[in-house]
Amino acid sequence: MKEQLAKIRAEALSAFENVRDAAALDELRVRYLGKKGELTAVLKQMGRLSAEERPAMGQLANEVRAALENALDTASKKMEEAALSAKLKAETVDVTIPGRQVQVGRRHPMNTALDEMKEIFTGMGFTVLDGPEIELSELNFDRLNAGEGHPSRDWSDTFYFDTDERVMLRSQTSPMQVRAMDTLPLPIRMIAPGRVYRKDEVDATHSPMFHQVEGMVIDKGVTMADLKGTLATVAQRLYGPDTKTRFRPHHFPFTEPSCEMDVQCHKCGGAGCPTCKGEGWIELLGAGMIHPRVLEMAGIDPNEWSGWAFGFGLDRLAMLRYKIDDVRLIFENDVRFLEQF
């Protein structure tokens, strides 16, 4: 047995010293120190020895095991050091080489316009609300007084998820006005910005996905004069104190009376051009006094409370703000376009 232990020690130490990779080192560990290894096989023969021989052989076997474990640990550390050295060499950075210029991004013009809108309205005491883009037609239409048969509910205008026309991509952020009436205490001053979806043909001023900002005020004694004064002030804050606006009668089921507000075309100054389709004016938003029936559906007494609401396209607002003549530029993510802002 003594000769076997000496032979195992000599072979193992030589093998550990000359091993070159981790897989081979692990094989050597199993071969010599594993449960079924050569050293374990020798130790199983201890039972054959006499009582006088066992202590000496046991001590020798422990010495051999300790020597092999030390050799294994030394070989493992050498491999770790060699791997670290190779990694450092491969990842060496030449600090004399000029660095790469880092491109700094810019805020999208539409987000800048939205931030301006939020600042204007929060300064007037409005709260900014956010809501889901997948909406119920009940909130998008029914609670806004647009009943069955209204043209905006047609499949040619709206993206529905089911044949029952119950779930849809919201076509306006107006459902947030309904949610506000259902959840917020009176009086209410809120705006709701967000993405909306309609089946519009793509052209210089239309897109099937665009952004809206809608707002609502409900209080006692609110009149059409408050609406016009507020929206005219917003236009002047956005485009300058000399901004010209006009209000035209219109019809929306959510409001009565209703109107649309235009701003004079930034491109032609009112003379007429392709951007304003020759009219000299660009429609900015729709607005009006909240219909009494809408207030009643929210449990609000129209004899005690009144209100007004508005909604406009944020993309079109950004076009006017930055004199962009084609809405498609906003969505194309062309770096050459974005770098101008």
Side-chain angles (χ1 to χ4, degrees), residues 65-268:
R65 177 179 289 277
L68 267 59
E69 289 176 346
N70 287 336
L72 173 64
D73 186 54
T74 300
S76 178
K77 289 180 179 179
K78 283 183 179 180
M79 287 186 180
E80 291 177 0
E81 292 174 357
L84 178 60
S85 178
K87 183 178 181 181
L88 292 175
K89 184 177 181 180
E91 296 178 357
T92 299
V93 177
D94 186 351
V95 295
T96 65
I97 297 177
R100 295 179 180 176
Q101 185 177 1
V102 178
Q103 283 190 317
V104 180
R106 293 174 172 83
R107 287 190 62 78
H108 196 283
M110 191 181 64
N111 288 334
T112 303
L114 176 58
D115 288 342
E116 291 182 5
M117 289 299 303
K118 289 180 179 179
E119 183 178 355
I120 292 170
F121 278 103
T122 54
M124 293 180 176
F126 284 67
T127 300
V128 181
L129 301 181
D130 187 25
E133 295 177 22
I134 298 177
E135 189 58 270
L136 297 175
S137 59
E138 176 189 359
L139 300 182
N140 196 90
F141 293 125
D142 296 328
R143 292 285 301 277
L144 298 174
N145 204 32
E148 294 291 338
H150 193 275
S152 63
R153 304 184 69 139
D154 194 83
W155 277 84
S156 61
D157 290 330
T158 304
F159 294 98
Y160 289 104
F161 283 94
D162 56 357
T163 56
D164 295 333
E165 301 182 3
R166 181 175 174 273
V167 183
M168 57 179 289
L169 287 173
R170 65 182 181 185
S171 61
Q172 51 200 353
T173 58
S174 302
M176 287 307 302
Q177 298 176 359
V178 177
R179 293 176 184 272
M181 287 189 285
D182 287 344
T183 58
L184 298 183
L186 296 170
I188 298 173
R189 288 173 176 81
M190 54 77 67
I191 61 170
R195 281 187 294 264
V196 297
Y197 306 85
R198 296 179 189 173
K199 293 182 179 179
D200 287 336
E201 295 295 330
V202 178
D203 59 27
T205 56
H206 295 85
S207 170
M209 187 282 292
F210 56 100
H211 300 78
Q212 273 191 341
V213 176
E214 300 209 12
M216 179 180 68
V217 171
I218 298 179
D219 206 336
K220 294 182 179 180
V222 171
T223 67
M224 194 78 173
D226 300 312
L227 179 153
K228 294 180 67 176
T230 301
L231 297 182
T233 300
V234 170
Q236 291 171 358
R237 288 281 303 275
L238 287 171
Y239 307 122
D242 297 328
T243 301
K244 295 182 180 180
T245 61
R246 72 177 184 183
F247 290 84
R248 295 177 289 103
H250 199 71
H251 169 72
F252 300 108
F254 183 68
T255 54
E256 179 60 38
S258 304
C259 65
E260 286 187 338
M261 186 180 84
D262 304 332
V263 293
Q264 195 171 71
C265 180
H266 63 274
K267 195 77 172 177
C268 63

Side-chain angles (χ1 to χ4, degrees), residues 309-327:
F310 65 89
F312 59 82
L314 183 62
D315 312 304
R316 191 169 298 179
L317 184 148
M319 291 175 65
L320 292 169
R321 178 70 175 80
Y322 296 105
K323 297 179 172 56
I324 301 169
D325 58 8
D326 195 321
V327 71

